[in-house]
Amino acid sequence: AAGVIQSPRHLIKEKRETATLKCYPIPRHDTVYWYQQGPGQDPQFLISFYEKMQSDKGSIPDRFSAQQFSDYHSELNMSSLELGDSALYFCASSLYVSSGNSPLHFGNGTRLTVT
Amino acid sequence: GQQVMQIPQYQHVQEGEDFTTYCNSSTTLSNIQWYKQRPGGHPVFLIQLVKSGEVKKQKRLTFQFGEAKKNSSLHITATQTTDVGTYFCAGQNNNDMRFGAGTRLTVKP
C-alpha cells in the first residue's frame, strides 16, 4: 500500500540558508500535518492543512511557512535557518471524517541538519 | 490550548514484566490515539479509542479510555524485547491533534 512520501530524507544546510521539505500524502488523504521532532523529544505540531487550506497552527516559527497544493502534496519552507532548527521533520496524512477521528499515517521524515 | 501529559518519561523493565504508560489531557478529547516509534523510525499508529470508558486489546496490549475522555492508558503484559520503543499518546479534539511527550520503554532480556 502507498505510504506518505517525504523528500529529501536528509538535508544539510548552513545557518541563514533556506530549505524546502516536501510531503506527498497517501492517495485520497485530504489532511496533512507537519511535526518537528528533536532528539529524544516528542513530535511537536507545526501546522496542518485540510483541503489545501490551513486548518490548525502550532508552534511553527514565523520564519517557516507551508502550503498544500492542488494535488494535496505539501511543502514546508524554512528560511533564515538556525542551529536549533536541526531536527527530524515528519509529515503525516489522514482522511478527514465528520467526527475528525482518522488516524495519522507518518512518512519516514526528513532529517535536517543546520551547521 | 490543549495539552497532553504522559508519564512516565522512561521505563526500563525486565523481559516478562508488565509495563504501563499513562496519558492525561487538559481538555475533553473526541478521541485518543496511540503510536509506537521504534528507534530511528517514525511513529506508527497502534489504535484509536473513541468512546467513554472504552477498552481495546491487541494481543498483549490493553488500551483504556477514561470515562471523562480526558485520560488513557496503555498496558503491556509480559513485555518482550520487540516491545522496545517510545509509545506516544495523541489526543484529538476536532482537527487539533497533540502528542504526549512519550514513554521510552527499554526491555532487558
Side-chain angles (χ1 to χ4, degrees), chain B residues 4 7 15 18 20 22 24 30 35 37 46 50 56-57 72 87 91-92 98 100 108-109:
Chain B
V4 176
I7 58 169
E15 189 173 23
D18 293 355
T20 305
Y22 301 90
N24 195 56
S30 58
Y35 293 80
Q37 186 175 19
L46 293 177
V50 179
K56 287 188 176 181
K57 291 190 176 185
S72 181
Y87 293 85
Q92 186 170 27
R98 292 289 186 266
K108 185 177 181 181

Side-chain angles (χ1 to χ4, degrees), chain B residues 26-43:
Chain B
S26 58
T27 59
T28 301
L29 302 168
S30 58
N31 73 80
I32 195 157
Q33 300 171 9
W34 285 91
Y35 293 80
K36 178 183 179 181
Q37 186 175 19
R38 293 182 184 276
H42 59 276

Side-chain angles (χ1 to χ4, degrees), chain A residues 13-45:
Chain A
K13 291 285 185 179
E14 294 185 355
K15 282 194 305 183
R16 293 179 288 277
E17 285 191 320
T18 61
T20 297
L21 278 55
K22 297 185 178 183
C23 171
Y24 297 85
I26 290 174
R28 292 190 298 279
H29 279 193
D30 50 19
T31 305
V32 168
Y33 303 79
W34 285 98
Y35 288 88
Q36 177 193 58
Q37 187 174 32
Q41 298 184 352
D42 60 295
Q44 292 292 312
F45 172 68

Side-chain angles (χ1 to χ4, degrees), chain A residues 31 33 35 37 40-43 45 48 50 55-58 88 90 96 99-104 106-108, chain B residues 9-10 30-31 33 35 37 40-45 48 50 88 92 94-102 104:
Chain A
T31 305
Y33 303 79
Y35 288 88
Q37 187 174 32
Q41 298 184 352
D42 60 295
F45 172 68
S48 64
Y50 166 65
S55 60
D56 193 15
K57 197 171 182 179
L88 192 54
F90 285 110
Y96 180 77
S99 54
N101 292 341
S102 177
L104 272 57
F106 283 80
N108 288 327
Chain B
Q9 189 175 3
Y10 302 96
S30 58
N31 73 80
Q33 300 171 9
Y35 293 80
Q37 186 175 19
H42 59 276
V44 174
F45 173 75
Q48 176 177 274
V50 179
F88 293 100
Q92 186 170 27
N94 299 316
N95 225 14
D96 184 6
M97 174 83 77
R98 292 289 186 266
F99 278 77
R104 182 171 298 178

Side-chain angles (χ1 to χ4, degrees), chain B:
Chain B
Q2 175 185 305
Q3 290 187 341
V4 176
M5 273 68 72
Q6 189 174 356
I7 58 169
Q9 189 175 3
Y10 302 96
Q11 187 77 56
H12 180 70
V13 300
Q14 190 79 34
E15 189 173 23
E17 291 182 337
D18 293 355
F19 159 77
T20 305
T21 173
Y22 301 90
C23 199
N24 195 56
S25 169
S26 58
T27 59
T28 301
L29 302 168
S30 58
N31 73 80
I32 195 157
Q33 300 171 9
W34 285 91
Y35 293 80
K36 178 183 179 181
Q37 186 175 19
R38 293 182 184 276
H42 59 276
V44 174
F45 173 75
L46 293 177
I47 207 160
Q48 176 177 274
L49 304 170
V50 179
K51 300 176 183 176
S52 170
E54 188 171 14
V55 178
K56 287 188 176 181
K57 291 190 176 185
Q58 287 181 350
K59 296 182 181 178
R60 295 177 295 104
L61 277 62
T62 302
F63 303 84
Q64 292 188 340
F65 201 11
E67 294 290 339
K69 299 184 73 172
K70 294 178 74 172
N71 57 71
S72 181
S73 66
L74 157 60
H75 179 81
I76 301 179
T77 304
T79 55
Q80 300 175 359
T81 55
T82 53
D83 295 327
V84 164
T86 301
Y87 293 85
F88 293 100
C89 62
Q92 186 170 27
N93 200 355
N94 299 316
N95 225 14
D96 184 6
M97 174 83 77
R98 292 289 186 266
F99 278 77
T103 297
R104 182 171 298 178
L105 173 66
T106 55
V107 180
K108 185 177 181 181

